[in-house]
Amino acid sequence: LGKGLESHLKSFNDSILSNPKVKITAVENKERVDKNGKPKKPKKKKAAIKISPSFPQEDPVNLKFLQPELVKRWPNISLMDVMKETDLRIDFTKHFPSVLSRETLNKDTLQRRLLLCIYGFGTNTGLKRISSGQPFDSHSDLRYVKRCTMGCPNVRCAIADIVNATLAIRDPKVWGEQTTGCACDSKKVSVWDQNLNAEWHARYGGRGVMIYWHVDKKSCVVFSQIKTCSSSEVGSMIRGVLDHDTAMEMKEIYVDTHGQSTIGFAFSHLLHFDLLPRLKN
């Protein structure tokens, strides 16, 4: 590990000055004055490495003909129809058994209510609004199904089935070989103050929790988890690599500055994946 890091750093140091897309800004000490015109202590500006983005690739020749044809054939697709078709293909609702000792609902009714509950929570619409938009199931019916069947392990098993089916159906001629890289980042979600997981976020402001996502290069969410605002993203990154329970082999993990540390690099080397952070400044 030490020899490889040393050789890469030497190669980076030797080529950075001759790279036309890399620019190193110098340290500037700007003179400042107060309201009375007296000079103030100059504020130091840190040096930074600026990288110019590469030119975008040219669009494929047939893309301009393919896009209008897709819009013409499928002008509008309901998300509920996508969920129903996915369940008909892989039957991911089988991972939601009831915790009760006896079940009275038939399979079709239970499947419909499960899809409505997943849609309500996944789109943040809520069960009350979902129940008011269709005449078959009331709000109490959906709450009953949610309490008896939906839990964190059940949802994770269903997500793993959907991710595996998505990876299996991708044609390598169209999508390329199966991806082995994931981009990881967290997003703040506001919650009620009474929530025991809620914390005040020092950078974003306001109370809430953080949802940490693992997304592959084709925008498929491989793993997600909840974390507090003050907890380290390094632990969440490693947990997503170990506990995603899908057929994807993660070999490259892209994180921001908060998702890396010396210990994180050590564990990534021991677990045989490359930790690729964005280092600020």
Side-chain angles (χ1 to χ4, degrees):
L1 178 62
K3 293 182 179 179
L5 179 61
E6 183 179 356
S7 62
H8 284 83
L9 286 177
K10 187 178 183 303
S11 175
F12 173 74
N13 183 70
D14 295 340
S15 61
I16 188 172
L17 295 179
S18 59
N19 194 331
K21 291 186 175 294
V22 180
K23 180 181 179 182
I24 302 178
T25 59
V27 178
E28 299 178 1
N29 295 331
K30 294 183 179 180
E31 297 182 356
R32 301 187 302 166
V33 296
D34 56 11
K35 296 181 180 180
N36 300 325
K38 297 181 179 180
K40 296 174 63 177
K41 185 177 180 180
K43 185 178 180 181
K44 292 184 178 181
K45 183 179 179 182
K46 296 181 179 180
I49 300 177
K50 296 184 178 181
I51 301 177
S52 303
S54 302
F55 294 104
Q57 296 181 353
E58 296 182 359
D59 292 335
V61 179
N62 295 326
L63 184 61
K64 61 180 180 180
F65 304 105
L66 182 61
Q67 289 177 342
E69 185 65 25
L70 291 175
V71 175
K72 180 181 178 181
R73 183 170 299 185
W74 297 291
N76 188 14
I77 301 177
S78 173
L79 181 59
M80 179 59 74
D81 292 339
V82 176
M83 288 181 53
K84 182 180 179 182
E85 183 67 23
T86 304
D87 190 33
L88 291 176
R89 288 173 180 263
I90 64 175
D91 191 21
F92 65 85
T93 52
K94 66 183 178 183
H95 295 291
F96 296 90
S98 176
V99 297
L100 303 178
S101 59
R102 186 172 63 93
E103 297 183 14
T104 58
L105 293 175
N106 58 65
K107 182 178 179 181
D108 294 338
T109 303
L110 181 61
Q111 181 189 35
R112 182 179 70 248
R113 294 180 182 179
L114 275 172
L115 292 177
L116 290 174
C117 290
I118 295 173
Y119 184 88
F121 285 110
T123 59
N124 204 23
T125 305
L127 299 184
K128 184 176 292 185
R129 292 183 179 178
I130 290 294
S131 61
S132 63
Q134 47 86 33
F136 303 104
D137 307 297
S138 63
H139 181 215
S140 59
D141 294 335
L142 298 183
R143 289 185 59 189
Y144 175 80
V145 171
K146 182 258 178 185
R147 290 182 176 180
C148 295
T149 60
M150 296 187 66
C152 184
N154 311 65
V155 176
R156 291 200 187 280
C157 292
I159 291 176
D161 274 6
I162 296 175
V163 173
N164 290 337
T166 304
L167 297 177
I169 203 174
R170 288 177 177 171
D171 189 355
K173 296 180 180 179
V174 179
W175 296 92
E177 296 297 328
Q178 184 173 341
T179 57
T180 59
C182 271
C184 308
D185 199 7
S186 59
K187 179 178 177 59
K188 177 179 174 292
V189 178
S190 300
V191 298
W192 297 105
D193 294 345
Q194 291 81 3
N195 193 313
L196 298 178
N197 292 324
E199 284 187 352
W200 181 270
H201 202 291
R203 187 153 56 99
Y204 296 141
R207 290 184 176 273
V209 296
M210 303 294 288
I211 307 298
Y212 200 75
W213 306 93
H214 284 65
V215 184
D216 79 336
K217 294 181 180 179
K218 300 296 188 297
S219 302
C220 177
V221 178
V222 178
F223 187 78
S224 63
Q225 56 185 301
I226 187 173
K227 62 184 289 292
T228 55
C229 299
S230 59
S231 61
S232 173
E233 293 188 6
V234 181
S236 301
M237 176 270 299
I238 296 178
R239 183 188 173 191
V241 175
L242 297 177
D243 297 342
H244 61 91
D245 293 333
T246 66
M248 181 179 180
E249 291 290 337
M250 295 187 185
K251 297 297 183 182
E252 301 170 350
I253 305 297
Y254 302 89
V255 297
D256 56 8
T257 309
H258 302 283
Q260 57 83 28
S261 67
T262 305
I263 300 178
F265 278 110
F267 274 97
S268 66
H269 178 68
L270 293 175
L271 297 173
H272 304 290
F273 69 90
D274 295 331
L275 180 59
L276 307 175
R278 177 185 66 88
L279 297 176
K280 188 176 181 181
N281 292 332

